[in-house]
Amino acid sequence: MANNTKTKAVKSLPKTKEKISVKKSHSHDIDTRLQSHFGFNKFKGRQEEAIHSLLNGHDTFVIMPTGGGKSLCYQLPAMILEGCAIVVSPLIALMKNQVDLVRGYSEDDNVAHFLNSSLNKGQIKAVREDVTSGKTKLLYVAPETLTKQENIDFFKSVKISFFAVDEAHCISEWGHDFRPEYRRLREMMDEINKELPVIALTATATPKVQSDIVKNLGLREPNIFISSFNRDNLYYEIQPKIKVDQTIKSIVKFISQNKGKSGIIYTLNRKTTEELAEILIANNIKAVAYHAGLDSKLRADRQDGFLNEDVQVIVATIAFGMGIDKPDIRFVIHYNMPKSIENYYQETGRAGRDGLEGKCILYYSHKDVSKLEHLMRDKPLSEREVGAQLISETLSFVETSVCRRKVLMHYFGEEWDLENCGKCDNCLHPKEKTEAKEEAVKVLKVVKALDGRFNLEYTINILCGRQTPSIVMYRHEKLPEFGIGKERDVHFWNSLIRQMLLEDLLRKDIEEYGLIKFTPKGEKYLKKPTSFQIVLNNLFEGADADDEESAAANNTGSATDEVLFEMLKELRQKQAKKLGLPPFVIFLETSLNDMATLYPTTLLELEKCQGVGKGKALKYGKPFAELIAKYVEDNDIEKPDDFVMKSVVNKGNNKVYIIQNVDKKIPLDTIAKNKDLRLDQLLEEMESIVASGTRLNLNYAIDDMLDENEQDDIIDYFRGCETSSLDVAREELAEFDFNWEQLKIMRIKFLCEYGN
Ligand code: ADP
Ligand code: MG
Ligand code: ZN
């Protein structure tokens, strides 16, 4: 395996110097400084070269993976050069941490300061005095700080040694954390002093992001130092997320087997962080949630708790971890699909910074993709286009059967030739390979015919001979190549083309809408085809999680019997047909879920399932209990006790309270407030009350939310619908633009009137 210090030539960068000959100035100084000041006995990776480059006054660009030791590349020169270095860093929350680290090396706290909007006037004055007097060698600033004229004037009046721009990928919208203020840095630096050298540093940069950085920061013929992005010690695995219950169970199990080891779980939204943390806590795991909605004191406390190991697991939105310097994080779990490969790389990169074990597990469901798309819905079109491209790249990474490392490295523009990395799920369980020489030739012929002007999807449509409107528009159905790959399906061509991209037989131009282009290697291959073995992609079929939010909240704690669950669903379908009712009126999905977990074989036992009351058990329960009894008998089922996961304790008994207050026609907002529930949680409770057979007359509340016609429309819809999903209902009723609460409350009314 390549190690972290290997130099890689990167395609598409302007003026990349293959061999950089940097004059060694101050060489005596820098070795002793490394020892005396920082206490390290040798440089890591390409630190030394980068430091010389900066000391010689060159613009310098350092690309090293997380934990590679980028900070030293500017900290050490700052100590040597006359004046104070300005370090631009994106997150105010982490500046203090960084300053503390620098101060830790020095006897004098004045050596480093930060200047940002969190300081008061007196503090600002003190910082300025230290800078003016020359005591301060490193000044950390937020990009916003540099946009203030008074600060610029101040910086013009003192001796500055150089600019360092940390997390430089923030300058590019193709990176994983675009910060528009970064775009103005060049302008600001020019105003302070055009002549000063600039050092840019980042841990993640695809070739595209790299060239954005060089361009937007206006780096002048920079010396570029790139280390390999491979992280030898990280293990990558991707698992389908089929049932949320099961996913949570396997996470709890994993963490329980890794007692005392620190880890991060990333999720997409705040609510999930809290729910997951709650479940972990219920299972004796020291966990906390972390997200931008918490106040800063609480966030700082939780971050500290994690650093000093009072907290084992932090369940966080991606807001957490940027710049976190905890070397011994042993696992990073993605509960949702990250929005780009860069995000994934950056987030998993926080594991194993000390070079020891680091497990990276991602749970993936198709639903995550729509969630990510949903998150972008309000963004401007160009941003959505970029976002969609990034998601589609991530998807291909997730679904691939090829070595994960190979795909990651390829994404970062590195070559990766190792047959089996030995540290990813696909390499540990390699799939059989299929010869695809003839098909590869077909692909190349099509791409040639299309002259590199069309994307993956279009190319596949030509191969499969599909007459889409755009194909017809270009008259491509007349091409001799049209339909030459009919005998194979879309998945096959997808797998093949992605692997041809990995092998450089083709190239995808992400900047240009993902057009598929020819490469010299592809040209050669077409002339003289050789064996081309591919693995067919995991399709992750069925990786479609049920509704995550409610499932996590209503978590029953143990794994569902998938087979039984399907049988119960079928039975419900049959009964529904017989009774002329929508299936969910009979039992909710959550009830079936419980049945497939608890195996109730009598009506009394059936009542223990969520959403099944006496009335319901009597009315609909019999065939279900019979089916389960037979299933239990046939399959010799005993209650599984290998690993029992505790679920979250039911939040008090709200039910009686709710029933009484609805009787009194108390506004729902008030009920919710009194019980410390959100409206959606209240409705959830109400639905489970109604589902178990108690009537709630909600008309007083409904009349406030919807007029009569609207109510009729929704009831009509529910009468004929196939699924109880509110998402589907919203789509089907899109023209009316009903919100979730409106549909939910009508579904409750419907259940009440038709189900009981
Ligand atoms: P990055 O910013 O690239 O993610 P940091 O600058 O935070 O990485 O450094 C990561 C870790 O490596 C820190 O704990 C740092 O003290 C350590 N480190 C940096 N340079 C060296 C070196 N030459 N020898 C040993 N450890 C080093
Ligand atoms: Mg850093
Ligand atoms: Zn591998």
Side-chain angles (χ1 to χ4, degrees), residues 402-406 420-428:
V402 176
C403 171
R404 308 270 179 211
R405 245 186 194 80
K406 181 171 181 126
N420 186 318
C421 85
K423 262 198 168 155
C424 79
D425 49 358
N426 288 336
C427 286
L428 288 184

Side-chain angles (χ1 to χ4, degrees), residues 235-289:
Y235 165 75
Y236 302 104
E237 176 176 320
I238 295 175
Q239 297 228 8
K241 182 164 60 182
I242 297 166
K243 281 262 160 274
V244 168
D245 264 9
Q246 261 172 5
T247 304
I248 294 177
K249 185 181 170 188
S250 76
I251 291 174
V252 170
K253 194 169 176 179
F254 174 86
I255 298 173
S256 303
Q257 286 165 346
N258 285 276
K259 267 213 159 41
K261 294 184 184 169
S262 296
I264 308 177
I265 303 178
Y266 283 110
T267 76
L268 213 53
N269 63 44
R270 298 172 184 185
K271 195 166 151 230
T272 317
T273 63
E274 307 215 324
E275 287 173 353
L276 265 179
E278 217 177 319
I279 294 172
L280 298 185
I281 292 165
N283 287 279
N284 290 327
I285 295 164
K286 289 186 214 151
V288 293

Side-chain angles (χ1 to χ4, degrees), residues 161-179:
S161 50
F162 61 86
F163 294 104
V165 181
D166 205 2
E167 315 289 356
H169 56 271
C170 291
I171 212 166
S172 168
E173 63 253 70
W174 291 92
H176 57 84
D177 191 26
F178 179 45
R179 299 279 302 257

Side-chain angles (χ1 to χ4, degrees), residues 22-38:
V22 177
K23 201 174 77 203
K24 291 207 174 185
S25 58
H26 313 268
S27 62
H28 173 67
D29 266 19
I30 90 163
D31 286 338
T32 45
R33 284 287 176 146
L34 183 69
Q35 266 286 353
S36 65
H37 195 89
F38 295 92

